[in-house]
Amino acid sequence: MALNARQFLSRVLITIVLFAPVSGFTDANRKTEKREDQTLYLALDAVPYSLVKELYDKGYMAGYSEPSLVISTFPSTTTSGLTGLLQPIGVKRALGYDAIFYDYGDDRVKGSLLTALKEKYNDYERIFDFYRHSFGQKFLIYAAPGVAVQRDMGHLQTVLRKNPRKKNIFYYIGGTDGTAHVLGRKRHAHILRHILNRLDVIRTRYKKRFGRELNVVLFSDHGFHYRHLKGMRTSLLEKMLKEKGYHLSKNLNGNGTVVVTEWGNISGASFYTHPRDTEEVAHLLNKIPGNDLTFFRSGRSIRVLSPDKGDARIDFDARGKQFRYVPLTGDPLLYREVAEKLGLAADGDWFLATSRHYYPDALHRIYDAFFTLVENPATILCSTRDDYEFGDPVTRFSSKLHGGLKGTHGGIFFTSSEAFVATTIPGVKLPPVLRYSEVFKFFVAP
Ligand SMILES: [Zn+2]
């Protein structure tokens, strides 16, 4: 087939990219390394199951297991997602749901979207042999996501070469998140194919260099919902709160203060309130156009509010292992039928019944968000409609300059929550659908 000039150029570029770092494995002194297996755990930020499955079906993933669907945490953000995945291998709770969080101890909002936390990293970052921590490192993910991916895949060879005896290498690729937000699905698929190609080359060279296979476990932290989004209006939120005597603040030290932590332009948000204000503020948030579901703790239960589908209650046992969904004025999670069948049931049964639902595995995920994922749990959590995002008007505006956001994640609905895992390790049989906390039970702890 004849190539036009553009196709030719892109092939040349791909060839250069693929073969440029060839010195990676070949210039080092060849030593006979022990033939013990090494596994690369490669975290691909924001790569949804459905995209990976599509590439797998098209034959781009020879040697990998068929990808499994992993239902991510709620909120479906990187900090929450990676913490939830890695808690079973010893990772401690995150400070908050995302890079910006409220700290009860110091009564103030900390962190920023792009700057590294000065005092301490979230514990999951400790596991990674490579992670983009600082402002400059993270900025590249969104300013030039393709460049970030290429650099990081190049650096991966160096990390592997320098650590031949380390049994498990954990490596994070963030440019896939930037690609999805800024460039959309087609380019997301393109960058993913590029990563898979690079991995094939790396594994071939690795085998030559070390005389053994490099095992790979590919996984993502959350899904992605590709569509143009409307922004929820913070000014409207402020106005509605003001009418009832509340105001947004950076701390809770005052009458009627409500703390909001924004996570970038994504489909969720967390709010911190004085306990006496929680229920009233939750009902106000429920009325903001674009908000789909509002969750808040109420005594020994969790309440779920929806502006058009009514309210419900989630009951759970002391260990968070059994759940019941009780429709009150309506059925916000659309679980009524399942709830009538299950009653008070083990969370594994809820998972089986709801893992492919529009709000997958919601009871367990909401429970974890309030009780097990973070050190500073919110009193109220929101999940937006899938055509809205909540966040900073400045980044919203600047994204408009280059065509607007191409989608987001963060919410509890399916597309935001469909992460994946796939592996080249022979003999590892992954179930077709897993909860985030089950993924690393199939692999060896680092
Ligand atoms: Zn993102």
Side-chain angles (χ1 to χ4, degrees), residues 181 229 263-267 389-393 395-396 405 407-408:
H181 284 286
L229 302 163
W263 308 323
N265 303 90
I266 71 164
S267 41
E389 48 87 1
F390 183 89
D392 188 350
T395 49
R396 185 180 297 154
L405 290 170
T408 198

Side-chain angles (χ1 to χ4, degrees), residues 65-66 68 421 423 425-432 434 439 441-443:
S65 60
E66 180 166 347
S68 298
V421 61
T423 184
I425 303 177
V428 172
K429 286 260 172 293
L430 295 163
L434 298 88
V439 173
K441 292 178 184 166
F442 289 87
F443 307 106

Side-chain angles (χ1 to χ4, degrees), residues 45-46 78 142 177 181 222 224 266 408-409:
D45 198 322
T78 297
Y142 302 97
D177 186 61
H181 284 286
H222 51 73
F224 198 86
I266 71 164
T408 198
H409 55 89

Side-chain angles (χ1 to χ4, degrees), residues 21-34:
V22 79
S23 58
F25 289 130
T26 50
D27 64 349
N29 295 332
R30 272 165 203 273
K31 284 180 241 151
T32 325
E33 302 297 348
K34 255 176 59 196

Side-chain angles (χ1 to χ4, degrees), residues 171-185:
Y171 202 90
Y172 168 78
I173 300 287
T176 41
D177 186 61
T179 306
H181 284 286
V182 180
L183 302 172
R185 192 176 196 273

Side-chain angles (χ1 to χ4, degrees), residues 290-423:
N291 191 13
D292 181 28
L293 296 170
T294 304
F295 312 104
F296 68 96
R297 282 167 65 173
S298 171
R300 300 234 353 98
S301 307
I302 295 168
R303 290 278 299 281
V304 188
L305 311 179
S306 155
D308 53 350
K309 300 189 292 283
D311 306 350
R313 196 181 75 220
I314 300 169
D315 296 339
F316 42 85
D317 70 357
R319 291 174 34 245
K321 294 287 171 210
Q322 287 202 307
F323 292 93
R324 177 171 45 216
Y325 174 74
V326 186
L328 299 172
T329 65
D331 181 16
L333 289 176
L334 311 171
Y335 273 16
R336 190 189 293 273
E337 230 172 273
V338 186
E340 279 167 7
K341 254 184 247 159
L342 290 184
L344 179 70
D347 74 341
D349 294 334
W350 279 104
F351 183 75
L352 282 177
T354 62
S355 61
R356 292 184 189 268
H357 189 277
Y358 182 72
Y359 301 117
D361 198 23
L363 308 189
H364 170 88
R365 297 166 73 207
I366 298 162
Y367 175 88
D368 269 8
F370 282 121
F371 294 102
T372 74
L373 263 186
V374 297
E375 278 181 29
N376 297 289
T379 53
I380 305 168
L381 286 160
C382 292
S383 177
T384 73
R385 281 170 38 166
D386 67 9
D387 54 346
Y388 273 83
E389 48 87 1
F390 183 89
D392 188 350
V394 178
T395 49
R396 185 180 297 154
F397 177 76
S398 58
S399 77
K400 282 206 174 111
L401 299 178
H402 48 84
L405 290 170
K406 303 295 188 294
T408 198
H409 55 89
I412 198 163
F413 50 87
F414 189 87
T415 40
S416 268
S417 314
E418 50 152 350
F420 83 98
V421 61
T423 184

